[in-house]
Amino acid sequence: QPFLELKNVSYQYPDGTLALNNISLQIITGKKIALLGNNGAGKSTLLLHLNAVLAPTTGQLYYKGKDFTYKRKEKNKLRGDVGIVFQDPDTQLFSSSVYDDIQYGPRNMGLSKEEVESRVLEAMEMTDTMSLKEKPPHFLSVGQKKRVAIASVLSMKPALMIFDEPTAGLDPYYTNRILNILNQLATKERTILVSTHDVDFAYEWADEIWLLSEGMLIARNAPFEIFQDQ
Ligand code: ADP
Ligand code: ADP
C-alpha cells in the first residue's frame, strides 16, 4: 500500500491557470525521487498537494490508503509525516535561536522532553548545525540557514521529506554540503523527494525520476529508463 497517492489530480489557480493536469502517482517509503521540470511546469504546485496546503480542484489524495478529507486534524497528522524544506529558508525560520527552531516541530507533536531533545541533537548532527544552536537564525549565512531549515523539518522525522530546489542560488561549496546531507537522509523508512533543474544530480542520486511538463507527468521511471527514452 502506497504511503501517499494522487489519483487524477488537476489543479486550477483562482485566475484560471491550469497548473496540474490529471496527475496520478504513488509514493512508497524508502525511495529517492527527483522531480524534474522547467520553470512553470507545476513542480511547486505538486509539492504543495503532497502536504495538503493545496487541495485538488478535481481528483483525490489518499493518505495511508484512505481518502483524504482535508479536515484540520487530518492535515496536522499528514504534515507531521510530510515535511517540506522550502527554497527560501527565511520562510520557515522564525524563532529567536536555532535550537528553538529545530525543537518547534517535535515539541508541537506532544513528545516527551527527552524525545524532543534527542531528536534535536540527531537533526543537528546530521546537518552540522550544532555550533549554531544559540544563534538567532536571522543572522546566519544563507548556507547555514538552509541547513537549519533542513534540521527543523528532520526533527519531526517525516516519512516523506520534500526539498524544493535545495541548491538553487547556492555556490558550489554550499551545494556540496547540501548534497552530502541529502545522501545521508534516505533510509528504508523515509522517502526523499527533491525538485530540481539539475539533471546530472537527478541521474546520479535518484532511484526514480518524475518528469513534469506543463502540468502533466510525462514520465515516471528509473533514471536509466528516462534518459534512454529522451
Ligand atoms: P514550477 O514550480 O515548476 O516552477 P509552479 O507550480 O510554480 O511551477 O507553477 C505552475 C503554473 O502555475 C505556472 O504557469 C505558474 O505561472 C502558475 N502559478 C503558480 N502560482 C500561481 C498562483 N498563485 N496564481 C496563479 N498562477 C500560479
Ligand atoms: P559552519 O560550517 O560554521 O556552519 P559555513 O558552512 O558557513 O559555516 O562555513 C564554514 C567555513 O567554510 C567558513 O568559515 C569558511 O572558511 C568556509 N567557507 C564558507 N563559505 C565558503 C565558500 N563559498 N567557499 C569556500 N569556503 C567557504
Side-chain angles (χ1 to χ4, degrees), residues 64-224:
K64 294 182 176 168
K66 289 207 194 94
D67 262 34
F68 194 78
T69 61
Y70 296 88
K71 291 193 179 107
R72 178 181 293 271
K73 244 184 160 171
E74 254 189 335
K75 284 198 269 192
N76 288 342
K77 207 153 171 247
L78 178 73
R79 286 174 195 161
D81 251 353
V82 179
I84 303 190
V85 178
F86 291 100
Q87 218 179 107
D88 177 3
D90 284 323
T91 61
Q92 59 194 128
L93 301 175
F94 46 81
S95 302
S96 56
S97 77
V98 163
Y99 190 93
D100 281 351
D101 259 326
I102 301 175
Q103 70 152 15
Y104 183 85
R107 214 166 137 189
N108 269 359
M109 294 166 85
L111 303 168
S112 71
K113 216 177 150 198
E114 293 73 29
E115 175 67 17
V116 172
E117 255 165 45
S118 99
R119 284 177 174 219
V120 173
L121 282 179
E122 194 185 346
M124 287 195 302
E125 254 163 41
M126 285 192 84
T127 53
D128 202 6
T129 50
M130 195 73 85
S131 62
L132 309 173
K133 71 176 180 182
E134 315 278 353
K135 301 203 172 170
H138 186 65
F139 294 108
L140 301 177
S141 76
V142 84
Q144 290 171 335
K145 280 184 188 173
K146 202 91 195 184
R147 300 201 315 274
V148 173
I150 294 172
S152 70
V153 173
L154 188 58
S155 60
M156 291 197 275
K157 293 204 174 181
L160 173 61
M161 200 161 164
I162 297 172
F163 294 81
D164 194 0
E165 308 204 16
T167 58
L170 297 183
D171 68 18
Y173 168 81
Y174 284 121
T175 297
N176 211 12
R177 293 193 70 163
I178 300 295
L179 294 182
N180 279 335
I181 295 171
L182 285 182
N183 276 328
Q184 287 173 50
L185 284 178
T187 66
K188 262 187 282 189
E189 296 79 37
R190 183 159 51 219
T191 284
I192 309 290
L193 170 55
V194 177
S195 104
T196 180
H197 291 284
D198 189 339
V199 176
D200 292 332
F201 160 74
Y203 187 75
E204 290 234 332
W205 174 81
D207 35 48
E208 190 175 313
I209 292 179
W210 300 353
L211 214 54
L212 203 60
S213 172
E214 297 178 8
M216 289 180 283
L217 195 59
I218 56 171
R220 185 172 159 246
N221 220 325
F224 170 75

Side-chain angles (χ1 to χ4, degrees), residues 13-15 17-19 37-46 165 212:
Y13 280 102
D15 72 353
T17 306
L18 184 64
N38 294 332
N39 276 328
K43 298 185 298 298
S44 305
T45 307
L46 176 61
E165 308 204 16
L212 203 60

